[in-house]
Amino acid sequence: ILFNNPYGDTGMTSKLKTDVLETVSGSGTIALTNQLSGMTSASVPSGSVIQVVNGSTAQEVTSSSNTPADTGLTATITPTSASNYILVDVKHTGLSKYGGSSADTYFNLSLLRGASVIAVIEARAGYTNNSQYLFMGGSGITFKDSPSSTSAVTYKTQFNRGNGNGNVRVGDVNSVATITLMEIKG
């Protein structure tokens, strides 16, 4: 065991070197070689990040329909335990509405797990009571989801025009949208 001199140079740090630790009862030893190599997702504490998956898109998608359409932003993660949850972080850019003659056109944006809507990101966004162009910029959400599964889970976003006529768009001028999925130990 090597220690620095407590009365000498205080700029040095203490260092402990050993190959083996003995248990408190003296009935065995604890080997220290490569201890981190034995770490698994099951052995980390609750709240730890197990894995991270990212997805992005930089495509302009336009719709003139009230029926939800995919934005092109998607990512898939396979949880290591059904008791863990997924923290989903979405950032969308280039949201806009334009055209048409109706004053009540607006923009909807949702987060889906598979084919099911699990969160509404925007509802009635861009409602201005006129039919002029409206560039809304960006929007997003951070959402805690519990898929209770160890099978691959796909998250994506969809958008649609609400009411009236005209168009809605995501990714105006091919701006970047991102999705980050973090598996968190439950």
Side-chain angles (χ1 to χ4, degrees):
I1 298 178
L2 301 173
F3 292 98
N4 70 310
N5 179 351
Y7 303 106
D9 182 4
T10 59
M12 294 180 59
T13 59
S14 298
K15 186 182 285 187
L16 173 65
K17 290 186 176 185
T18 185
D19 293 324
V20 178
L21 291 178
E22 188 174 308
T23 61
V24 174
S25 66
S27 62
T29 59
I30 302 168
L32 299 177
T33 307
N34 296 322
Q35 286 299 300
L36 292 178
S37 66
M39 295 288 287
T40 66
S41 59
S43 63
V44 298
S46 293
S48 298
V49 176
I50 304 298
Q51 63 173 315
V52 178
V53 174
N54 291 298
S56 66
T57 184
Q59 64 180 2
E60 188 176 272
V61 183
T62 302
S63 176
S64 60
S65 174
N66 296 103
T67 303
D70 291 348
T71 65
L73 183 62
T74 184
T76 299
I77 192 168
T78 303
T80 59
S81 171
S83 63
N84 293 347
Y85 63 91
I86 307 299
L87 194 63
V88 183
D89 185 63
V90 172
K91 300 286 188 283
H92 258 291
T93 56
L95 309 181
S96 63
K97 70 161 193 151
Y98 61 93
S101 59
S102 176
D104 61 355
T105 297
Y106 52 83
F107 185 101
N108 297 316
L109 181 65
S110 299
L111 172 65
L112 291 81
R113 179 191 341 111
S116 301
V117 174
I118 58 173
V120 174
I121 301 171
E122 290 291 345
R124 296 188 182 182
Y127 179 81
T128 57
N129 200 28
N130 64 50
S131 58
Q132 295 178 343
Y133 274 76
L134 178 63
F135 297 100
M136 294 171 274
S139 186
I141 192 172
T142 301
F143 184 80
K144 179 182 174 182
D145 186 41
S146 300
S148 301
S149 175
T150 55
S151 298
V153 182
T154 299
Y155 294 88
K156 66 180 180 177
T157 55
Q158 290 187 332
F159 75 120
N160 69 288
R161 181 196 74 210
N163 278 350
N165 51 38
N167 302 291
V168 290
R169 177 179 290 162
V170 294
D172 195 37
V173 197
N174 299 317
S175 56
V176 177
T178 61
I179 184 169
T180 302
L181 310 177
M182 290 179 277
E183 181 184 3
I184 308 295
K185 173 77 178 284

